[in-house]
Amino acid sequence: MEQLILTAFLALFALEFIVEFGLNELNLRHISSCWTAKQLPELFDGKVSLEDYEKSVQYSLANGSFRRWHEIYDRVVILFILFGALGPLDRFAGGLSQSLSIGSYSQGILFCLAVGLVLTLATLPVDLYSTFGIEARFGFNKTTIGLYVTDKLKGLILSLVFGVPFLLVILWLMDQMGSAWWLWAFAFVMGFQLLMIVIFPTFIAPWFNKFEPLKEGELRERILALAGELGFKTSGIYTMDGSKRSAHSNAYFTGIGKAKRIVLFDTLIEQMTTEQGLAVLAHEMGHYKMRHIRRMLVVQAVFLFAGLYVLSLLVASAAFFSAFGLDPSNHAALVLFALISGPATFYLEPLINRLSRKHEYEADRFAAITLRDGKPMEEALVNLTVKNLSNLNPHPWYSAYHYSHPTPVERIAALRQCPA
Ligand SMILES: [Zn+2]
């Protein structure tokens, strides 16, 4: 049994790597050959200069080449933690909690924190190179070293403030609720998620960015008119100083019910005309109106439910622990499960992305119909593509697997089919 678990894991782990690596190679080759043939998608002809096209090709190639290395690096890290670090960290946490004598779940909490710390430190070089290497080279990075360090420290404080009580409750439920613990854990995680959705916009996000009500003017008037027309309740429209960290632009909705906020990045307002900005917001309101967000939450809940059920079976099996050389415990089960579930859930990614792309088409269509004109949405897409140096020629398999949004070409073609 032990051997079977280990073999199954290693096979899935290797397969995931081969698929990821192979898709990236296909994508890199496709981008290069399209560039050599100067094969700009027809819909972008005359809208993107050769200079911008070249820049986007360089950016995509830089990211893809880097991905090659960090796909390998990430796996080495996971294998090292699984087979080299978990055992010693568990013993260390056990020893420390005994000498400090700080309650029955302290070993579990210390163990999870230690693994979290090792993972964070191991991913730091990848994160640093991506931010200060690639993003900086293409003019996107605006983060200073000081801001980067402060962000990391704030993240650490948040994960302690929310993570420790969260873990404590989960470990307590596993310990006290018998074989039905996972149903209780499911209810708790769902409640916790809901709480985070409520407190994120008002307490957490402002710690990282400055939010100001969108200043009076045409854009504000028209967004409010649009929201009124669609019966979309919101507690306010805000601008966020996204330019503090990156030149990439975005807009999003946050919160639930009447407390929903509309947030526009200052970079988006700067880069877009009023018409285009309005189209982006109409698209976002479309997601709400068509209950896409709720549907995605339901999908997530189903996965969480299934995942916790599987964990409840594994935690009861001694072979699961011995396969990875660990002593059976609830905290070891949690960490092991988190580390090894990647290669198993990896195959669900294209399915979820497919659903997400369907939602994007629907929201685009909603925007075109609401504004009685598909042009502004189309222009906004071209604008975003050029400003963000998005890949104009992704390999179809790569985008089908990894893209949560259809490619701009696919979206524009669909928009032109709209009756509006
Ligand atoms: Zn969308």
Side-chain angles (χ1 to χ4, degrees):
M1 187 63 181
E2 197 182 306
Q3 208 53 44
L4 185 73
I5 292 177
L6 198 59
T7 314
F9 166 70
L10 289 174
L12 284 172
F13 187 81
L15 197 62
E16 183 205 4
F17 173 71
I18 293 166
V19 173
E20 281 275 25
F21 201 85
L23 282 174
N24 188 44
E25 290 304 308
L26 278 180
N27 197 39
L28 281 169
R29 256 171 230 194
H30 191 70
I31 296 165
S32 294
S33 67
C34 288
W35 168 244
T36 312
K38 300 289 175 288
Q39 208 179 323
L40 196 66
E42 216 176 286
L43 288 171
F44 278 94
D45 252 352
K47 290 186 171 127
V48 179
S49 68
L50 194 65
E51 198 188 348
D52 282 338
Y53 180 31
E54 182 175 12
K55 226 176 149 190
S56 87
V57 168
Q58 298 303 338
Y59 184 56
S60 303
L61 290 178
N63 274 315
S65 315
F66 179 52
R67 189 171 187 149
R68 227 177 233 163
W69 297 109
H70 85 73
E71 291 288 356
I72 297 173
Y73 175 79
D74 289 353
R75 269 140 193 113
V76 172
V77 167
I78 294 288
L79 290 179
F80 164 73
I81 292 180
L82 272 178
F83 299 104
L86 286 187
L89 285 177
D90 196 21
R91 285 189 287 280
F92 166 77
L96 191 62
S97 88
Q98 228 165 27
S99 63
L100 295 172
S101 50
I102 41 172
S104 46
Y105 301 112
S106 58
Q107 179 182 356
I109 306 252
L110 286 170
F111 175 66
C112 295
L113 290 179
V115 177
L117 187 68
V118 172
L119 258 178
T120 309
L121 290 176
T123 51
L124 209 53
V126 171
D127 194 41
L128 280 169
Y129 181 72
S130 162
T131 309
F132 296 103
I134 299 177
E135 291 293 294
R137 182 144 40 99
F138 289 89
F140 286 124
N141 180 48
K142 305 288 173 219
T143 310
T144 59
I145 298 278
L147 182 61
Y148 185 87
V149 173
T150 326
D151 278 354
K152 291 287 166 203
L153 287 176
K154 284 179 182 172
L156 186 70
I157 293 170
L158 283 178
S159 48
L160 289 176
V161 167
F162 291 100
V164 172
F166 177 86
L167 272 173
L168 206 57
V169 174
I170 295 286
L171 290 172
W172 182 79
L173 290 172
M174 290 176 94
D175 192 34
Q176 298 287 320
M177 291 300 169
S179 58
W181 70 266
W182 62 281
L183 287 170
W184 289 94
F186 174 75
F188 169 67
V189 177
M190 292 306 291
F192 185 82
Q193 269 184 345
L194 217 61
L195 176 77
M196 292 311 278
I197 295 176
V198 174
I199 64 174
F200 179 81
T202 31
F203 293 101
I204 300 176
W207 205 29
F208 291 87
N209 281 96
K210 204 155 72 196
F211 291 83
E212 281 172 347
L214 180 63
K215 60 178 189 298
E216 303 280 335
E218 199 199 345
L219 183 61
R220 193 186 142 84
E221 291 308 310
R222 293 188 60 184
I223 293 172
L224 286 174
L226 182 68
E229 189 190 325
L230 295 172
F232 185 89
K233 291 186 182 64
T234 164
S235 71
I237 310 164
Y238 294 82
T239 56
M240 189 190 106
D241 57 347
S243 58
K244 188 164 122 180
R245 292 189 183 80
S246 165
H248 285 298
S249 48
N250 209 348
Y252 68 91
F253 283 74
T254 168
I256 38 173
K258 281 183 193 153
K260 279 194 299 288
R261 282 180 172 203
I262 299 173
V263 178
L264 297 163
F265 280 37
D266 52 357
T267 39
L268 186 97
I269 296 173
E270 220 171 86
Q271 290 168 3
M272 284 197 176
T273 65
T274 304
E275 297 294 332
Q276 292 170 6
L278 206 63
V280 169
L281 281 170
H283 168 104
E284 295 295 335
M285 288 181 198
H287 281 311
Y288 261 93
K289 278 278 146 189
M290 286 181 284
R291 302 180 188 279
H292 291 160
I293 294 161
R294 210 176 291 180
R295 214 182 296 164
M296 277 301 191
L297 284 174
V298 171
V299 172
Q300 271 177 21
V302 171
F303 285 129
L304 177 70
F305 191 82
L308 284 168
Y309 174 67
V310 173
L311 179 59
S312 77
L313 298 180
L314 291 173
V315 79
S317 143
F320 172 57
F321 298 95
S322 55
F324 297 94
L326 286 175
D327 293 331
S329 69
N330 290 335
H331 61 261
L334 281 180
V335 167
L336 264 183
F337 190 66
L339 287 173
I340 67 169
S341 58
T345 53
F346 170 74
Y347 306 95
L348 299 169
E349 193 187 327
L351 295 178
I352 297 170
N353 280 337
R354 215 181 126 138
L355 178 64
S356 164
R357 288 197 297 266
K358 183 171 169 275
H359 290 166
E360 293 308 320
Y361 282 127
E362 287 174 7
D364 280 349
R365 195 180 160 85
F366 181 91
I369 291 171
T370 305
L371 301 173
R372 291 164 206 94
D373 185 4
K375 270 270 167 260
M377 191 67 227
E378 190 178 319
E379 284 168 15
L381 283 169
V382 173
N383 194 342
L384 280 171
T385 305
V386 175
K387 295 274 170 26
N388 287 310
L389 296 179
S390 307
N391 183 3
L392 290 163
N393 307 105
H395 190 282
W397 293 2
Y398 186 87
S399 60
Y401 214 106
H402 285 303
Y403 279 24
S404 62
H405 288 57
T407 65
V409 175
E410 291 167 333
R411 291 175 73 175
I412 291 171
L415 272 170
R416 291 192 177 169
Q417 302 286 312
C418 271

